[in-house]
Amino acid sequence: MNPAVGILAVQGDVEAHARALRAVGAAPRRVLRAAELADCAALVLPGGESTTIAMGMERLGLWAPLRHFARKGRPIFGTCAGAILLARQSRNAPVPTLGLLAADALRNAYGSQVDSFAAPVDAGAHCGLAGLRCTFIRAPRLCELGAGVQVLARVDGWPVLVRQQNVLAATFHPELGGDSRVHALLMRLLLR
Ligand code: GLN
């Protein structure tokens, strides 16, 4: 049976993540309530606006259940705003975070919406990600990475895809562009 992978559906690119997850053999499902996490083998925190998503998580009482989910070792994958929410803190613009990834986030580090761009990963990307094209939309940068954080891909020298055990974070939007290699990595975390 295809593993159920939840997508936090407070805000953001839920449908595009669902498509990418189906392409790698997962059964995506929207998550809005803590009880819905029980059935999920892994979870995606999509991009959007981290402050809005954080408010939604507060309203839905999801902070503690999400931490619990990750601390049980289930894979959790944050993209863009989702990566900010995984970080230990946002350095430049306050937003509450889950503190599951030993890295600080710098929000909107590449500029505003009009500065959105796509770029290939630097040579030397790990895990079969060579040539991956990354779409950045008001993207954060990750800095002060802890010793347990592995950099899987960089763009212009900056880490854009990192992993710390069961936690995966992308500063870009891997659900855009039709390349599901990053979602495939999430599936590989399920098989650890
Ligand atoms: N700039 C947004 C934030 O700070 C993130 C943008 C995105 O997820 N595309 O939350």
Side-chain angles (χ1 to χ4, degrees):
M1 214 171 72
N2 295 352
V5 176
I7 307 169
L8 182 69
V10 170
Q11 191 215 27
D13 244 351
V14 177
E15 209 28 63
H17 275 291
R19 272 196 297 277
L21 287 167
R22 279 187 211 104
V24 296
R29 54 186 61 185
R30 299 164 75 88
V31 168
L32 278 174
R33 292 186 301 128
E36 291 162 342
L37 287 170
D39 301 331
C40 298
L43 183 76
V44 173
L45 305 179
E49 187 61 40
S50 52
T51 45
T52 306
I53 299 172
M55 281 191 281
M57 284 162 56
E58 184 68 33
R59 182 168 36 84
L60 298 164
L62 283 172
W63 286 96
L66 287 177
R67 285 197 182 99
H68 184 67
F69 181 89
R71 292 202 169 124
K72 277 194 304 195
R74 296 202 204 170
I76 184 163
F77 177 27
T79 64
C80 203
I84 296 167
L85 292 166
L86 288 175
R88 63 164 95 75
Q89 64 172 332
S90 154
R91 274 206 176 181
N92 54 334
V95 62
T97 65
L98 289 160
L100 295 168
L101 177 70
D104 288 355
L106 293 168
R107 293 177 61 198
N108 302 315
Y110 296 88
S112 65
Q113 190 85 18
V114 290
D115 303 310
S116 300
F117 66 103
V121 294
D122 297 348
H126 297 280
C127 306
L129 295 171
L132 180 77
R133 231 179 138 65
C134 308
T135 302
F136 296 87
I137 305 169
R138 290 184 303 114
R141 280 192 175 123
L142 295 173
C143 57
E144 298 289 325
L145 303 194
V149 179
Q150 185 191 3
V151 178
L152 304 181
R154 296 178 186 270
V155 168
D156 292 334
W158 283 90
V160 297
L161 180 67
V162 302
R163 176 191 164 189
Q164 181 183 345
Q165 296 174 331
N166 58 318
V167 177
L168 189 64
T171 60
F172 58 98
H173 282 264
E175 78 283 10
L176 301 179
D179 186 331
S180 44
R181 279 182 285 172
V182 182
H183 290 79
L185 275 186
L186 178 68
M187 301 307 280
R188 294 223 314 252
L189 289 187
L190 277 176
L191 305 173
R192 285 170 307 147

